[in-house]
Amino acid sequence: MGLMNGVSRMRAMRIHRLGPITASALPLEEDSVPVPVPGESDLLIRVRACGVCHTEIDEIEGRTPPAQLPMTPGHQVVGTVVGQGNACTLGLMNRRIGIAWIHSACGECAWCLSGRENLCPDFIACGRDVPGGYAEFTTVPEAFAHPIPDQIGDLEATPLLCAGAVGFRALALCRLENGQNLGLTGFGASGHLVLQMAQHLYPDSDIFVFARSEKERSFARTLGAAWTGNTTDQPGLLLDAIIDTTPAWLPVLSAMATLAPGGRLVINAIRKESGDRDILATLDYDRHLWREKSLSTVANVTRRDVTECLRLASEIPLLPQVTSYPLENANQALLELKQGNIRGAKVLRVS
Ligand SMILES: [Zn+2]
Ligand SMILES: [Zn+2]
């Protein structure tokens, strides 16, 4: 197919080297690069907005490094379909669609065939393994594009595609029953969405939020948390399930100690930082593990998680709180995210 109306180059904020993000080592450079050409079964997307995720920090700092450099990050992409390959059949031209972390999976392995394409050995992550949404255009296989419900705005849709979808997956892994207590340790982009999804799905359950900053705790109370406290505060009762979204280990141990018999801890983090890893030496079998407590992790998302999250979001309705930045200020957004300056989700406005 030809390029859009003679537009042949685009702006992209790209990762050129890996290392810690600091105010004096901003990670992304604004480049002028060719507009991508979609493959046979791919869509060409004009990006309208792209969410900023903690996983981008993990990519840049080398905990889950890009497949090659330079790389355009961004896996919470909302845009308009402006082109498609010859083999596309789903009629998505001119539609508003979302692209999530799952850019593709093989479709043939045991995991893909059993509904766990998130665990596919050939899982391709958007913005890590292939270029993502910190750019004016990007591409995606049409089978992995998610139509966005009309009532959800561009900016508000972006956090649903990652924080919301992976939060939905974490919540499903908690196997909560209505009335059972749920804890959330860490209260960033995912936490505030999970809290609202949990309230909708389990109306009789109380939600307990553990967060370091009073700003996050008061935000959680505004949304209806039954109790809030610091990471290691004890709520005075044991909880049936806890979702951990922190980058550290202390909240994991603390959560294991706070689980009721048979309780489930689900760690929703792509990598843990190593700063307080030594604390794991204090793991105590009786206090942290015994009585059939279980611990699992969440890896990636399936297309179904994304679809279910978007459906729930339009049903509740779930309107994520967002702070937006122009594309060229992506470095500032990442730095503020790393510094813990979080209220709701950060989103880049692209077009
Ligand atoms: Zn993400
Ligand atoms: Zn597979």
Side-chain angles (χ1 to χ4, degrees), residues 145-166:
H146 301 275
I148 304 289
D150 289 340
Q151 60 269 48
I152 306 176
D154 296 340
L155 300 179
E156 289 72 26
T158 61
L160 300 172
L161 294 163
C162 179
V166 73

Side-chain angles (χ1 to χ4, degrees), residues 10-348:
M10 64 172 188
R11 288 183 305 140
M13 296 294 290
R14 299 198 299 173
I15 305 169
H16 284 256
R17 71 197 70 81
L18 305 187
I21 300 173
T22 67
S24 57
L26 296 175
L28 306 178
E29 290 176 25
E30 183 173 332
D31 294 322
S32 171
V33 298
V35 171
V37 177
E40 284 283 282
S41 303
D42 294 344
L43 305 173
L44 177 66
I45 310 300
R46 186 208 315 259
V47 179
R48 297 158 76 121
C50 184
V52 176
C53 179
H54 200 275
T55 299
E56 271 100 73
I57 298 174
D58 289 324
E59 289 182 32
I60 292 160
E61 298 192 336
R63 287 178 293 277
T64 180
Q68 75 257 345
L69 294 173
M71 177 57 70
T72 306
H75 56 265
Q76 309 171 74
V77 190
V78 172
T80 308
V81 181
V82 294
Q84 61 180 10
N86 293 328
C88 289
T89 58
L90 299 177
L92 294 171
M93 269 303 286
N94 302 316
R95 292 283 300 274
R96 194 169 62 118
I97 62 103
I99 311 171
W101 177 246
I102 180 164
H103 194 269
S104 64
C106 82
E108 294 167 0
C109 71
W111 291 275
C112 281
L113 293 175
S114 61
R116 295 175 296 164
E117 59 190 6
N118 59 311
L119 303 178
C120 176
D122 295 322
F123 186 95
I124 302 288
C126 182
R128 184 193 64 188
D129 303 326
V130 292
Y134 283 35
E136 291 175 306
F137 294 88
T138 192
T139 62
V140 67
E142 71 165 351
F144 290 80
H146 301 275
I148 304 289
D150 289 340
Q151 60 269 48
I152 306 176
D154 296 340
L155 300 179
E156 289 72 26
T158 61
L160 300 172
L161 294 163
C162 179
V166 73
F168 174 84
R169 184 166 191 85
L171 190 55
L173 290 171
C174 283
R175 303 187 317 275
L176 210 66
E177 287 169 25
N178 187 25
Q180 290 189 328
N181 294 322
L182 174 68
L184 303 174
T185 183
F187 199 67
S190 179
H192 82 287
L193 298 177
V194 170
L195 186 147
Q196 295 169 79
M197 288 192 273
Q199 285 172 326
H200 182 76
L201 292 168
Y202 312 106
D204 301 320
S205 294
D206 282 332
I207 301 170
F208 297 74
V209 172
F210 306 78
R212 274 184 310 180
S213 89
E214 175 49 33
K215 216 163 124 188
E216 288 167 1
R217 294 195 291 263
S218 73
F219 184 27
R221 288 192 296 273
T222 308
L223 292 174
W227 174 94
T228 64
N230 206 337
T231 312
T232 54
D233 288 349
Q234 289 299 314
L237 76 172
L238 300 176
L239 305 180
D240 298 297
I242 299 177
I243 298 172
D244 165 49
T245 53
T246 69
W249 288 106
L250 176 63
V252 171
L253 277 199
S254 185
M256 291 304 284
T258 307
L259 283 180
R264 289 82 62 195
L265 174 65
V266 176
I267 301 179
N268 173 4
I270 188 162
R271 292 290 183 274
K272 285 285 190 187
E273 292 167 10
S274 55
D276 69 344
R277 196 170 46 186
D278 291 350
I279 198 169
L280 290 174
T282 66
L283 183 75
D284 179 80
Y285 181 74
D286 179 46
R287 182 156 172 258
H288 296 115
L289 290 169
W290 194 50
R291 297 178 192 86
E292 304 192 351
K293 296 179 187 181
S294 65
L295 187 161
S296 67
T297 61
V298 181
N300 307 322
V301 288
T302 64
R303 281 172 281 182
R304 184 174 170 274
D305 298 323
V306 180
T307 307
E308 284 296 303
C309 176
L310 289 170
R311 190 186 59 75
L312 260 182
S314 54
E315 183 180 308
I316 293 176
L318 180 57
L319 293 175
Q321 295 221 355
V322 295
T323 305
S324 73
Y325 304 71
L327 174 63
E328 56 271 23
N329 290 1
N331 279 313
Q332 183 198 344
L334 285 168
L335 186 63
E336 290 182 11
L337 181 62
K338 180 171 177 183
Q339 288 168 342
N341 184 358
I342 295 172
R343 183 175 170 107
K346 299 186 189 304
V347 184
L348 305 176

